[in-house]
Every structure is written in structure tokens, then in C-alpha cells.
Amino acid sequence: MNGDGHPESGSKGNQRSASLSVQNSSQPTEDIVSEAHGSLEEKEEPLDISWPDTNRKRLTYLFLAPIVLPLYVTLPDVRRPDRRIFFPWTFIGSVLWIAGYSYCMVWWASQAGETIGIPDAVMGLTVLAAGTSIPDLITSVIVAKKGFGDMAVSSSVGSNLFDITVGLPVPWLLYSAVNSGRPYVVVSKGMLCSIFLLFLMLITVIISIAVSGWKMSKALGISMLLLYVVFVTLAVLLEYEIIECPAT
């Protein structure tokens, strides 16, 4: 009993203050989660193809016009409220445009390598690898800046898995179906040694991540770049037979 004659007022007051403190302590967490989802689901403005004001933006406009203008004409911009119902066509059309651009990129890289005298395998390890990975890099940087590091890492891993399990088998399957079951022959002088190098690089990457405490740091990023340079250098040397592969 307290001095006012209310024995339970003190305990009730403590309970109320405790509940209020718990609610206040949980509120920032909810705000952080809501802000994170809000930053991920930012409303994007529709594409504007009007002529820019500054010279820098005009140069960028002219540089991207051959790619952006065909997309603007053929694909409905679903960010406009009156065109949201056309999202199936925008999705299918986007996939078709990606296939067309990818075909042109591979064709041009192959022709350029043939003209300069660079093998297709070397062009694939350098030019095509960079061209197909830059979109993954951009998307990973965007989501990482918004605080979704797991999404950035999983996107890079998932895209490579998709390339290996779908991007390679499907074209080969179509080739075999069109040519009465004849297999597609892959010609590469250092193929087996390159695969062995990939396994070594995978083990080295896992060890590097473990040494860094399973955290993405600048030192880990620099080590990843150095490992990539080492792998590409060895693969090119194997392809040009400067280093002979024992398996061949």
C-alpha cells in the first residue's frame, strides 16, 4: 500500500511505463523497416524524351538514343497510369529486345575478334563477359545503396547460375533439335584447365570471404578484382598456347 491508499497504483504505473518503453523501443525498428521498403518501392517517373537543357545531358541523350527510342516506340511505359494494363506486352517485348540486343552484341564481338585475330574464347572471357555483367553490377549497386546487401549478392550469384543452367543448355538443345540430334561442338584449347582454374578461384574466393569475416569490405573487393585479373590472364595464355594445358 502506498501513501495515497492505493496499493496497486505503483505496480500499475510501473507496468504502464514498462509497456510504453517497449512500444517506444520497437517503434524505431518498425520505422526502419517501413523506410527500407519505401526506398525499395520508390515511384519512378515515366520516361521523358524531351531535349535536355545542358550539353552533358544532350551528349548522353544522343549516345543512348539508338537504344532508348526503339524501346520507347515499341514498349508501353507502364509507369503511366493509363498504360499499366499493357504490362504483359511490355514484359514480353522487353525479353525480345534483350534477346535481339544480345544477339547483336555476340555477333559484333565475334566479327570484331575475327577481324583483329582474337579467338572467340578470348572475346567471350573479356568483351562479352564485361558486357553481360555490367547490368548485374548496376542493379547490385542500386539495391546495395538502398540497404539490401543480400539482394545485391544473391543477384550476382543467381544470374551466373541462370547462365550456366539455362543460358547454355537451351541454345544447345535447340541446335540439336534443328540438326537431327547432332551435338554442338565447343572448340577451346584450354577448356579443361580453365574449368580447373574456375574451381580454384571459387575456393580462393570462399577463403577470402571467410578471412574478411564474411563482410564485404574494400580489401575484399580489391582481392576479387585481382583474382579476376589473374584468371583472365591465365585463361588467355592457355588459349594462345603460351602455357600448355596438360589435359590436352
Side-chain angles (χ1 to χ4, degrees), residues 139-150:
T139 55
S140 297
V141 170
I142 291 174
V143 296
K145 286 184 176 180
K146 294 182 178 181
F148 296 90
D150 294 340

Side-chain angles (χ1 to χ4, degrees), residues 105 127-140 156 159-160 163 228:
M105 181 182 65
V127 178
L128 293 182
T132 55
S133 298
I134 286 176
D136 294 334
L137 170 64
I138 295 174
T139 55
S140 297
S156 300
S159 63
N160 289 285
D163 293 339
Y228 174 74

Side-chain angles (χ1 to χ4, degrees), residues 21 30 83 106 121 231 239:
S21 62
E30 297 176 358
R83 298 184 181 180
V106 175
F231 170 76
E239 191 65 29

Side-chain angles (χ1 to χ4, degrees), residues 25-196:
S25 62
S26 62
Q27 187 64 29
T29 305
E30 297 176 358
D31 293 340
I32 293 173
V33 174
S34 61
E35 289 177 0
H37 286 285
S39 61
L40 183 63
E41 300 176 356
E42 290 179 353
K43 183 178 181 181
E44 298 181 357
E45 296 294 331
L47 180 63
D48 185 12
I49 60 171
S50 59
W51 185 246
D53 299 331
T54 61
N55 293 329
R56 181 180 178 181
K57 291 182 179 180
R58 289 173 182 174
L59 291 175
T60 305
Y61 183 92
L62 295 175
F63 181 75
L64 297 177
I67 298 176
V68 175
L69 291 181
L71 299 177
Y72 180 80
V73 174
T74 57
L75 301 178
D77 193 348
V78 295
R79 288 170 294 190
R80 300 179 181 274
D82 56 336
R83 298 184 181 180
R84 291 180 179 176
I85 59 174
F86 300 108
F87 72 91
W89 167 246
T90 301
F91 176 77
I92 297 174
S94 299
V95 174
L96 295 177
W97 271 111
I98 292 174
Y101 285 142
S102 301
Y103 178 83
C104 292
M105 181 182 65
V106 175
W107 175 36
W108 294 338
S110 177
Q111 293 299 317
E114 184 178 352
T115 303
I116 301 173
I118 301 176
D120 292 340
V122 177
M123 294 297 292
L125 285 170
T126 55
V127 178
L128 293 182
T132 55
S133 298
I134 286 176
D136 294 334
L137 170 64
I138 295 174
T139 55
S140 297
V141 170
I142 291 174
V143 296
K145 286 184 176 180
K146 294 182 178 181
F148 296 90
D150 294 340
M151 186 183 297
V153 176
S154 61
S155 173
S156 300
V157 176
S159 63
N160 289 285
L161 289 175
F162 183 85
D163 293 339
I164 295 172
T165 57
V166 179
L168 290 177
V170 171
W172 292 346
L173 180 63
L174 294 176
Y175 177 86
S176 299
V178 172
N179 293 277
S180 303
R182 186 174 61 185
Y184 183 84
V185 180
V186 179
V187 179
S188 181
K189 298 177 182 178
M191 175 76 68
L192 294 178
C193 288
S194 296
I195 295 174
F196 180 71

